[in-house]
Amino acid sequence: MNGQALYTKTFDKLAISVGDYFYYDAAKYRIDNTSGLSNETDSQLKNYFAGEITGKIGQGFSYRFSLGVTGSCIKTAENKVWQWVFTPRADIGYRISPSFMLKAGFTQANMPPSTGQLSGATSFHNQNIIVHGNPELVSSRTNQTIFSVVYHNKWLNINLSYNYLYMKNPINYYYQYEQPYIAYTPVNDNWYDMHTAAYSLRISPFKNDLLALKLDGAFSYMKVDSKLLGRVTLFRVPLFYELTFNYKNFFAYYQGAIPCKMLSVPTIYETQLSSSIGVGYKYKDWAFQVSCDNFLTNPESRYHSIENSIVRTQGTSYVKNAWNRVMLKINFRFGKGKQYQEAVRQTVEEGL
């Protein structure tokens, strides 16, 4: 069950909002395996109450401030945990010119463990490894700060940003000895932080978007202070690119992404190299398109465990029927929907 209520009052230069969000989830299940028979009943109750002020000062400065409190209750067969956490947020922006804007923001959030992560019910991954939750988990606390610069003109759009994320008590999964087995369980680490410099660039030097280039990427450096593996670091450079062509009713595109590593303790994943190409034609309500996914690339994803993990895993996954897959798409628009035209309303105040 979930629901929310919101009240907003708008004034001349600002708006005030007050709202409440309610969420409740309950699950009952039975586990019967070699570790025994158990009946589990888990529930999670969450209530979020917040107030927010948004407005502008002059022509260039805008702001948004909110303060909320989150109350959550997680109940499992092993324990019952109540938590109340403040969740503030602040966003400010300053428009230097119609095409140039600066933004900054700060958010704080609380992420409680799920009922499955808190459950002590045991299942077998294989004959040597068991899987279960950890009733002693506590919530993670996150602080995030972001600064960004936005600029655009007729042929150029740029968005540059810096993001710093710090998390206290992050939850990660580890392999641990529990004789005579190895257990795969969630654990609260000490802390996690990540520095990210991201960019989004779109260049369209010709009229009617005849030719446009789009780049989305980032430089990220993350660290995990692990209770079991020590300090773990990773540097990643994701990049997505797209080249589009539009001329009258014809269009074409080429897009892709380079492989990028991702950290999910105790495993490091490497995303696949992607590439796709397509051409199409629009005629009235019809659109015809021929595309090729994974154009001249082999979509393979790799993963391996972190060096100090007591269980060493590595592998490569791929889907053979996705190599150079050619698709024909035919679209027809049955209706444009109903259009409404309202006369411009003008308010004239007359004084005596």
Side-chain angles (χ1 to χ4, degrees):
M1 296 185 298
N2 65 75
Q4 63 179 3
L6 177 67
Y7 175 77
T8 300
K9 179 66 175 179
T10 302
F11 299 94
D12 186 24
K13 295 184 179 181
L14 61 86
I16 299 176
S17 302
V18 179
D20 186 82
Y21 173 78
F22 169 82
Y23 173 84
Y24 178 76
D25 176 78
K28 184 176 182 179
Y29 52 91
R30 170 178 172 154
I31 299 176
D32 187 3
N33 55 29
T34 54
S35 64
L37 173 65
S38 62
N39 293 298
E40 299 283 340
T41 301
D42 299 336
S43 65
Q44 182 175 7
L45 171 66
K46 182 183 294 185
N47 191 82
Y48 173 68
F49 178 79
E52 181 177 279
I53 298 177
T54 59
K56 293 184 177 181
I57 300 177
Q59 297 296 321
F61 187 79
S62 60
Y63 61 87
R64 173 187 176 188
F65 301 108
S66 63
L67 179 62
V69 59
T70 301
S72 62
C73 177
I74 301 176
K75 184 178 180 181
T76 66
E78 289 78 15
N79 58 10
K80 180 179 180 180
V81 180
W82 267 103
Q83 288 187 333
W84 293 91
V85 179
F86 285 103
T87 52
R89 174 170 180 168
D91 295 286
I92 58 175
Y94 182 71
R95 185 174 294 278
I96 299 176
S97 68
S99 59
F100 190 25
M101 187 172 185
L102 304 177
K103 298 180 180 180
F106 171 81
T107 58
Q108 190 175 80
N110 178 62
M111 292 180 290
S114 65
T115 55
Q117 290 175 327
L118 289 171
S119 175
T122 299
S123 61
F124 277 81
H125 177 69
N126 56 34
Q127 67 272 23
N128 299 317
I129 299 177
I130 59 176
V131 180
H132 61 73
N134 181 0
E136 298 180 358
L137 291 176
V138 298
S139 296
S140 302
R141 186 75 171 168
T142 301
N143 294 332
Q144 186 173 14
T145 305
I146 185 170
F147 302 94
S148 63
V149 178
V150 180
Y151 175 79
H152 65 88
N153 56 33
K154 293 182 178 180
W155 61 274
L156 179 65
N157 285 273
I158 300 177
N159 190 330
L160 304 176
S161 65
Y162 168 75
N163 188 317
Y164 176 68
L165 174 67
Y166 176 82
M167 183 180 297
K168 183 70 173 178
N169 300 320
I171 300 175
N172 291 307
Y173 280 80
Y174 292 96
Y175 294 100
Q176 301 181 77
Y177 288 113
E178 290 187 12
Q179 298 298 337
Y181 303 107
I182 294 175
Y184 186 64
T185 61
V187 175
N188 281 114
D189 279 331
N190 295 322
W191 54 264
Y192 164 88
D193 73 350
M194 179 172 65
H195 299 265
T196 301
Y199 60 90
S200 178
L201 172 68
R202 189 178 188 274
I203 304 174
S204 180
F206 305 104
K207 292 183 178 180
N208 301 321
D209 283 340
L210 177 67
L211 190 66
L213 173 65
K214 183 179 180 181
L215 299 174
D216 289 294
F219 301 89
S220 297
Y221 180 69
M222 58 194 69
K223 294 181 291 184
V224 179
D225 190 19
S226 169
K227 292 181 178 179
L228 300 179
L229 302 182
R231 189 69 57 83
V232 180
T233 62
L234 179 69
F235 179 72
R236 57 193 302 262
V237 188
L239 173 63
F240 169 82
Y241 54 88
E242 181 180 50
L243 183 65
T244 58
F245 172 81
N246 292 277
Y247 179 72
K248 294 184 178 179
N249 292 336
F250 291 94
F251 64 91
Y253 69 88
Y254 175 73
Q255 61 185 21
I258 64 173
C260 177
K261 293 183 178 180
M262 301 178 62
L263 176 63
S264 179
V265 178
T267 307
I268 294 178
Y269 297 89
E270 183 174 320
T271 60
Q272 66 185 27
L273 174 68
S274 65
S275 173
S276 62
I277 191 171
V279 294
Y281 177 78
K282 297 179 181 179
Y283 177 74
K284 294 184 178 179
D285 291 331
W286 291 87
F288 306 89
Q289 179 179 333
V290 178
S291 62
C292 179
D293 291 342
N294 299 302
F295 178 64
L296 301 179
T297 61
N298 296 332
E300 296 181 348
S301 300
R302 298 178 175 85
Y303 65 90
H304 64 86
S305 56
I306 297 174
E307 184 177 352
N308 296 332
S309 176
I310 65 173
V311 174
R312 295 285 293 167
T313 60
Q314 64 180 21
T316 302
S317 62
Y318 53 88
V319 182
K320 286 187 176 181
N321 62 7
W323 293 0
N324 296 310
R325 179 174 56 191
V326 178
M327 293 183 293
L328 172 64
K329 299 179 182 179
I330 301 176
N331 297 329
F332 177 75
R333 185 173 59 179
F334 290 93
K336 299 180 180 179
K338 189 174 182 180
Q339 297 182 356
Y340 297 89
Q341 293 183 353
E342 295 184 1
V344 178
R345 299 178 180 178
Q346 295 180 350
T347 302
V348 179
E349 297 182 357
E350 297 180 356
L352 296 178

